[in-house]
Amino acid sequence: MTPNGFPKSRLALALAVLVPLAVIGDALWVRLAPGAPPWQALDDSWNGLVGGPADGVRWQLAQLLNRLGGDPGLALLAIAVVTLLIVRRWRSAVFALAAVAASVIAVDLAKRIGERPRPLDVMVDTGSWAFPSGHSARMAVFVVIVAVVWIPARHLRTWWPVAVFLTVLMMGARTWQHAHWLTDTIGGAAIGWAVAALVWFACTPMLDRERELREAVDAPPVAEPAAGEDGLG
């Protein structure tokens, strides 16, 4: 298995650069908006539609995703990185760690700029500010890392819809527990995907080198010409 190359589309790179800037700009808008952000009515409406008693299948699923977005999720990432190192894919491991670190820094910066309070009826323990959602960002980063490091190129078109589903599932879980406003999760998913893609682009030479080395190892050996078949007999 080899890492996948960054998309050749210029639009992909442009979005990877512009989306984090847009999210940080929105955070500044949240900070400076008098009273409440201009999209607060949408968030209030969505907050009134979702959520419910703290039991049942939907609540348990939301709790599972809540935990996966925290320390247990980081532990799974650490296991994945160690696995990559064991199979001598240290370049892919560096990419994965860099993508997670960059997203954490970007999300923390946006939170500190925005300082948006969470919904008053939050149903789980939370920390830090609301915008953007760190859980949504981490899920977005995770699905991009999987796409780059583990999914064969021929299966990427199948993986991306799954990646979108998992990201939306996390977004829904965070709003279901009223841990975030809807736009918090949108901003988190956007900055997570974009930052991971930007790190992917930055690591392209390193990942291309890993792909070349692994393809050379996996290539079938060239058969030696038999005696009398070298054109000299």
Side-chain angles (χ1 to χ4, degrees), residues 114-203:
E115 292 190 352
R116 187 186 194 189
R118 293 177 186 260
L120 295 177
D121 53 353
V122 58
M123 304 170 73
V124 291
D125 292 334
T126 58
S128 73
W129 300 99
F131 183 86
S133 165
H135 278 64
S136 300
R138 282 190 286 276
M139 178 61 80
V141 172
F142 168 75
V143 297
V144 173
I145 291 174
V146 171
V148 176
V149 174
W150 280 293
I151 303 298
R154 63 183 181 277
H155 295 317
L156 275 179
R157 289 188 177 182
T158 302
W159 170 249
W160 287 125
V162 176
V164 171
F165 172 77
L166 291 174
T167 306
V168 171
L169 194 64
M170 177 63 83
M171 295 166 63
R174 299 309 284 161
T175 59
W176 181 262
Q177 295 184 321
H178 293 182
H180 281 285
W181 305 103
L182 174 63
T183 53
D184 297 341
T185 64
I186 295 173
I191 201 169
W193 277 71
V195 169
L198 192 58
V199 174
W200 183 8
F201 174 77
C203 291

Side-chain angles (χ1 to χ4, degrees), residues 25-35 37 110-116:
D26 284 343
L28 183 60
W29 195 359
V30 170
R31 179 71 170 268
L32 299 179
K111 283 179 178 288
R112 291 176 182 272
I113 291 175
E115 292 190 352
R116 187 186 194 189

Side-chain angles (χ1 to χ4, degrees), residues 52-117:
D55 56 25
V57 175
R58 285 177 291 186
W59 178 263
Q60 294 303 323
L61 176 59
Q63 279 290 76
L64 174 62
L65 291 168
N66 179 30
R67 295 188 181 97
L68 287 176
D71 292 340
L74 293 177
L76 290 175
L77 174 66
I79 293 172
V81 169
V82 171
T83 301
L84 288 171
L85 294 174
I86 291 174
V87 297
R88 299 180 181 180
R89 296 185 60 186
W90 65 265
R91 294 174 178 85
S92 290
V94 168
F95 157 71
L97 289 175
V100 172
S103 68
V104 168
I105 292 172
V107 168
D108 185 65
L109 176 62
K111 283 179 178 288
R112 291 176 182 272
I113 291 175
E115 292 190 352
R116 187 186 194 189

